């Protein structure tokens, strides 16, 4: 689990999945409130390397918001086998009104990811326009799934338990 800015609270779907899925781990970022792109990418690499040593199986990455962008930046620097990535509501860190703590994640890499991926985004996310989400998915070679009316797909948008998202994740885990 690769949460976004300020982490995912206890009622967030990532936290719930982490507690319910055997072997699920959360990447602990160095600073949840003032994220640094390089520090987050390094923390992600440490977590993936550790997981690989323990299981000898490629992990499935589950990102939310700026956590998705950290995953994409990681993919530009490291080459490790990844079974797949579920990228939910990627944050648009390039938009003019992007919160200042997230701006160092720009520019967002636009290259085909070296592993299967799916972008899930909504049509009313205040942090990511649907057209931008579709464009990111296309540039990353990801399947695009629209969650109509889903907002930023976080607790504030009503996403605690998220059975439809968990079904998408189970596809990767199979």
């Amino acid at each position: 689990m690769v949460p976004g800015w300020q982490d995912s609270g206890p009622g967030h779907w990532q936290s719930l999945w982490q507690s319910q899925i055997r072997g699920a781990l959360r990447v602990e970022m160095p600073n949840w409130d003032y994220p640094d792109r390089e520090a987050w990418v390094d923390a992600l690499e440490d977590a993936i390397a550790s997981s690989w040593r323990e299981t000898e199986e490629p992990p499935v990455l589950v990102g939310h918001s700026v956590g998705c962008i950290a995953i994409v930046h990681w993919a530009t620097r490291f080459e490790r086998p990844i079974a797949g990535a579920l990228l939910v509501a990627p944050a648009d860190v390039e938009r003019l009104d992007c919160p200042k703590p997230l701006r160092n994640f720009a520019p967002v890499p636009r290259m085909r990811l070296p592993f299967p991926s799916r972008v899930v985004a909504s049509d009313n996310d205040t942090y990511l326009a649907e057209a931008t989400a579709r464009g990111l998915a296309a540039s990353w070679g990801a399947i695009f799934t629209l969650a109509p009316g889903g907002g930023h797909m976080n607790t504030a948008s009503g996403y605690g338990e998220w059975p439809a998202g968990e079904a998408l994740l189970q596809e990767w885990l199979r």
Side-chain angles (χ1 to χ4, degrees):
M1 302 293 165
V2 187
W5 184 32
Q6 299 175 330
D7 199 3
S8 297
H12 190 283
W13 56 267
Q14 278 185 314
S15 299
L16 297 172
W17 291 2
Q18 180 185 347
S19 68
Q20 297 165 357
I21 298 171
R22 196 175 123 249
L25 303 171
R26 175 185 304 262
V27 178
E28 289 298 328
M29 296 303 182
N31 190 329
W32 291 110
D33 294 324
Y34 297 96
D36 174 75
R37 178 177 73 195
E38 295 307 312
W40 276 38
V41 168
D42 289 343
L44 180 54
E45 167 59 13
D46 290 347
I48 292 171
S50 176
S51 171
W52 183 255
R53 282 191 300 273
E54 289 177 22
T55 66
E56 296 183 4
E57 292 182 18
V60 172
L61 305 176
V62 180
H64 179 251
S65 192
V66 78
C68 299
I69 307 305
I71 289 169
V72 175
H73 279 290
W74 173 87
T76 68
R77 287 186 40 205
F78 296 98
E79 293 182 18
R80 290 190 183 276
I82 300 297
L86 183 61
L87 306 169
V88 180
D92 182 356
V93 296
E94 297 174 344
R95 70 185 198 286
L96 294 176
D97 64 341
C98 175
K100 189 174 181 178
L102 306 183
R103 291 183 189 159
N104 74 88
F105 283 83
V108 175
R110 292 201 171 47
M111 73 340 164
R112 186 172 191 83
L113 294 174
F115 43 80
S117 58
R118 178 186 300 265
V119 170
V120 181
S122 78
D123 54 3
N124 67 337
D125 186 341
T126 56
Y127 303 108
L128 176 71
E130 180 185 345
T132 302
R134 288 181 182 276
L136 291 174
S139 67
W140 297 337
I143 297 166
F144 181 80
T145 300
L146 182 66
H152 193 51
M153 306 182 77
N154 56 8
T155 308
S157 301
Y159 281 76
E161 293 286 339
W162 181 31
E166 193 168 358
L168 294 173
L169 175 61
Q170 292 301 327
E171 285 180 33
W172 293 120
L173 297 178
R174 281 191 282 278

